[in-house]
Amino acid sequence: MKKILTVRHIATKRPPIIIDSLKNKTVKEVFYKIDFDTHNIIPVINKDYTVFGLIEPFNILKETYSGKIAENKEICNFIIKKYSLFEQNTHLFDINLENINFPIMSIDSSKKYCGIIQKEDLLDLYFNELRRVKKGFKNFKKNMHFLEMVFENVLEQIVIVDDKALISYANKKFLNLFNVTFDEAIGMNILDVTKKGILQKVVKTGKRETIVFSTDDGQEFLVNNIPVKENNYVIAGVGMGIFKNLNDLKQILNKLDILEGKVNFYKNELKNIWQAKYTFDDIVGESERLKFTKETALKAAKNDLPVLLIGESGTGKELFAHAIHRTSPRMKGDFIRVNCSAIPRDLLESELFGYEPGAFTGAGRKAKPGKFEMADGGTIFLDEIGDMPFEMQTKLLRVLQEKEFERVGGLSPIKVNFRAITATNHKLEELVKEGIFREDLFFRLNVLRIEIVPLRERREDIPILIKEYLKRNSLQKDREFNISDDALELLYRYNWPGNVRELFNILSYLINFINDNTVHMSDLPDNIINFNNKEDEVGLDS
């Protein structure tokens, strides 16, 4: 094995999930996204691409089936922090496998996620090294130090025989199982140790066989017997115990049909998950400015032109997007939501347009449709469009103009029929002048422009929003909530930089921590109590 072999050489760049996209999502909501055939581990990263943890989908599904996990529990509760971090240029010889947790997360010098190494990857490394041997199988042991660590610490029982079925290597788990020492086993015919000639047969025929192996004391193992070939000549055979408790395996196999049905159930929930939730009735307020905005949005919903929603964070742009879809001729189609700022730029193209099998490392064996493909016949909502990377804007412009695209790694165009709604809290005209947003894309999006005013510019809606929020929570919690006049006055006067979202967050905090059923002025956060706009002092009576 060459000393230059590093973590980077064997790490798989499996697409990660950003932790922010999982927050407040249930197991049921997340499971439809997961390809169970290829993703037995999914890395979870922070916005800055540093490692946050990992998810084991199959284990979660198994626990859900058994009733140990409720479908409506938040997926973040099951993020695992047990793994090892290694810089991608770390030499494999420098890793002590006895003291690490699998999987290994590969990171760059700035600690950003680069890939993942599982136990199976190290086994693949072994086979690749074995095939590189040019001077006969026995010389392979000269470079075995690292691989012996793999055999002892990563795998279950393993035995290697040469082309005569004589044992050349066996790990401790194999030796303990058959009560022989390493020195005794080396050079023995495998038949004299195991009393079965399967591995001997594999060496002769060159055909792989998987069997259930039973020991004298009743233990059962599922054993893979694999021939190792070079230039079509069998140079060795490998026997690996791949399940140390066959009863556990049998139980899992007996449940696979049911588990498969469970997976299909989750994936069938896709239609419900991708439906718009809100209507114009959910947008609360009686101010003239809000009424005008709702009337404009209602008119926009009746046609199929692109809609651009402009407004500060927390003003309710997503609610308007939902309501427009629910009132449009496409209301029976899917409502596909994409937050352009929450997806790493390296993954945005595959997320929007999908990919073909093998399009990139870790892409998996199955094609994956992108968000535009999923929006066929419905609406795609691109939130935070002002944060889309410049290089992706050209591809977005093409799909908006031509209504066709190609998957990553694809060769043929895919036609789609969708309606685009975009939203941003940026002033796109200024981004165009700065050269970070394409002017032609801006004109393509800015067809039906709807500006949603901040809460401080429609203060008359604040008491209505507060009373509606308290009313809804009174019904949900079977406990009547009220607010005192002095508390309502301060909330009315506050400037609300976070708009409706900030208002609802504060109300949520208050109703969970107040001593009685009424919100008093003393219950309000300090920043609201101390707020005083001397230049433009307003009140409920003004």
Side-chain angles (χ1 to χ4, degrees):
M1 184 183 299
K2 295 182 180 180
K3 181 69 174 178
I4 61 170
L5 197 60
T6 63
V7 167
R8 184 179 71 251
H9 288 105
I10 59 172
T12 300
K13 180 122 186 188
R14 179 161 294 162
I17 296 177
I18 288 187
I19 180 62
D20 287 357
S21 68
L22 297 177
K23 288 180 179 177
N24 301 320
K25 296 286 179 61
T26 65
V27 169
K28 183 177 178 181
E29 288 175 315
V30 171
F31 262 23
Y32 81 91
K33 294 182 178 179
I34 298 172
D35 183 350
F36 290 88
D37 293 335
T38 60
H39 289 157
N40 55 333
I41 291 180
I42 299 178
V44 180
I45 61 174
N46 297 301
K47 271 188 175 181
D48 61 0
Y49 232 67
T50 55
V51 175
F52 183 85
L54 58 92
I55 294 175
E56 296 180 328
F58 184 78
N59 287 341
I60 294 176
L61 179 61
K62 189 170 65 173
E63 296 294 293
T64 304
Y65 166 76
S66 67
K68 295 179 181 178
I69 292 177
E71 297 170 344
N72 60 358
K73 287 209 71 173
E74 291 189 10
I75 192 73
C76 288
N77 293 327
F78 308 106
I79 294 176
I80 297 171
K81 295 295 186 76
K82 187 177 180 181
Y83 52 83
S84 298
L85 286 176
F86 281 96
E87 206 273 330
Q88 60 180 344
N89 292 321
T90 304
H91 293 160
L92 293 179
F93 279 123
D94 296 334
I95 299 177
N96 185 353
L97 296 178
E98 297 179 11
N99 300 319
I100 69 168
N101 293 316
F102 277 93
I104 294 173
M105 295 288 195
S106 170
I107 57 175
D108 64 15
S109 57
S110 59
K111 302 189 182 302
K112 292 183 179 180
Y113 166 80
C114 295
I116 187 170
I117 300 175
Q118 296 178 246
K119 293 181 179 180
E120 295 83 355
D121 297 318
L122 294 181
L123 188 58
D124 288 341
L125 169 65
Y126 156 69
F127 286 123
N128 290 334
E129 283 298 303
L130 191 56
R131 294 186 184 98
R132 289 179 55 247
V133 176
K134 301 299 182 183
K135 297 181 180 180
F137 180 69
K138 291 183 180 180
N139 290 332
F140 179 65
K141 286 191 64 182
K142 293 180 181 179
N143 296 316
M144 277 284 289
H145 175 68
F146 177 78
L147 297 177
E148 284 179 348
M149 293 181 67
V150 175
F151 298 153
E152 297 297 343
N153 298 290
V154 177
L155 305 173
E156 295 302 324
Q157 298 84 3
I158 185 167
V159 60
I160 303 174
V161 300
D162 63 14
D163 55 352
K164 306 297 183 184
L166 301 179
I167 296 176
S168 299
Y169 178 84
N171 70 355
K172 291 179 183 177
K173 292 178 182 178
F174 177 89
L175 297 172
N176 293 338
L177 181 64
F178 293 100
N179 197 26
V180 293
T181 66
F182 184 83
D183 291 337
E184 290 172 343
I186 299 303
M188 290 182 65
N189 190 293
I190 187 65
L191 189 59
D192 295 330
V193 178
T194 66
K195 310 304 181 185
K196 291 190 178 182
I198 302 300
L199 197 52
Q200 189 178 45
K201 177 183 174 183
V202 166
V203 171
K204 288 183 178 180
T205 64
K207 294 182 179 179
R208 174 180 187 153
E209 288 200 25
T210 301
I211 64 166
V212 174
F213 182 85
S214 300
T215 62
D216 294 338
D217 59 359
Q219 294 185 67
E220 289 184 317
F221 297 87
L222 193 67
V223 180
N224 252 346
N225 297 283
I226 305 167
V228 180
K229 298 180 182 180
E230 186 174 16
N231 298 327
N232 292 322
Y233 175 71
V234 177
I235 62 172
V238 181
M240 293 181 294
I242 61 174
F243 222 95
K244 60 184 177 181
N245 189 336
L246 198 61
N247 288 330
D248 290 346
L249 176 62
K250 288 177 180 177
Q251 291 177 16
I252 292 176
L253 292 176
N254 289 337
K255 294 177 180 178
L256 276 180
D257 288 339
I258 301 174
L259 290 174
E260 184 179 358
K262 197 77 169 179
V263 174
N264 290 334
F265 169 77
Y266 288 129
K267 291 185 176 181
N268 287 336
E269 289 291 289
L270 177 65
K271 289 293 181 183
N272 293 328
I273 293 171
W274 288 126
Q275 290 301 308
K277 301 176 183 178
Y278 307 108
T279 68
F280 284 111
D281 291 337
D282 294 304
I283 302 173
V284 177
E286 296 296 331
S287 65
E288 291 302 318
R289 298 196 67 176
L290 182 64
K291 286 181 180 179
F292 175 78
T293 305
K294 290 172 68 172
E295 289 171 1
T296 305
L298 187 59
K299 292 177 182 177
K302 301 303 181 183
N303 60 66
D304 218 28
L305 296 172
V307 175
L308 176 61
L309 301 171
I310 303 289
E312 297 178 3
S313 294
T315 51
K317 296 186 293 295
E318 184 168 346
L319 266 68
F320 273 92
H322 280 254
I324 290 171
H325 174 78
R326 285 281 296 269
T327 316
S328 74
R330 294 176 177 269
M331 61 183 300
K332 293 184 179 180
D334 289 334
F335 180 73
I336 307 299
R337 304 180 293 280
V338 181
N339 189 326
C340 299
S341 66
I343 304 173
R345 63 173 60 221
D346 294 346
L347 302 179
L348 187 57
E349 183 177 4
S350 61
E351 191 72 16
L352 291 177
F353 304 120
Y355 56 78
E356 295 293 342
F360 50 85
T361 302
R365 300 187 299 271
K366 292 183 178 179
K368 179 185 176 183
K371 293 296 192 288
F372 277 101
E373 200 168 343
M374 295 167 65
D376 189 29
T379 301
I380 187 166
F381 173 50
L382 301 172
D383 199 6
E384 307 294 353
I385 190 66
D387 295 319
M388 175 169 282
F390 192 83
E391 61 270 18
M392 278 300 302
Q393 295 174 25
T394 303
K395 296 182 179 181
L396 176 60
L397 179 63
R398 184 200 168 196
V399 72
L400 291 173
Q401 289 177 334
E402 308 297 335
K403 293 296 177 73
E404 70 176 27
F405 64 93
E406 293 176 3
R407 288 177 177 171
V408 177
L411 299 176
S412 56
I414 297 174
K415 290 282 186 181
V416 283
N417 175 17
F418 62 88
R419 197 258 183 94
I421 301 177
T422 53
T424 182
N425 57 10
H426 295 294
K427 295 180 179 179
L428 292 185
E429 294 91 338
E430 294 183 4
L431 298 185
V432 171
K433 290 179 181 178
E434 295 172 12
I436 58 179
F437 199 86
R438 290 182 62 108
E439 184 177 40
D440 47 4
L441 178 58
F442 169 68
F443 289 132
R444 172 63 60 175
L445 300 175
N446 193 38
V447 179
L448 296 175
R449 182 188 183 103
I450 300 174
E451 297 194 19
I452 305 171
V453 297
L455 188 56
R456 61 183 173 275
E457 294 182 16
R458 55 182 185 102
R459 291 181 184 273
E460 58 267 45
D461 288 332
I462 293 175
I464 299 173
L465 286 164
I466 292 173
K467 291 175 182 178
E468 178 65 23
Y469 187 89
L470 295 179
K471 177 182 176 182
R472 291 180 183 179
N473 279 271
S474 295
L475 293 173
Q476 291 175 3
K477 298 178 181 293
D478 195 24
R479 176 184 171 192
E480 185 175 354
F481 294 105
N482 297 292
I483 185 168
S484 67
D485 291 340
D486 55 356
L488 186 61
E489 173 74 21
L490 286 188
L491 293 175
Y492 181 88
R493 292 178 53 185
Y494 184 60
N495 211 33
W496 298 111
N499 294 292
V500 179
R501 182 186 294 127
E502 183 183 8
L503 172 62
F504 285 171
N505 286 343
I506 287 177
L507 292 174
S508 176
Y509 162 79
L510 290 172
I511 64 176
N512 282 284
F513 288 95
I514 56 176
N515 294 322
D516 54 32
N517 292 348
T518 300
V519 176
H520 299 284
M521 185 173 67
S522 58
D523 297 318
L524 299 180
D526 290 342
N527 63 314
I528 293 180
I529 294 175
N530 297 330
F531 179 79
N532 181 18
N533 189 342
K534 295 182 179 179
E535 294 182 359
D536 184 17
E537 194 166 297
V538 295
L540 282 171
D541 297 328
S542 62

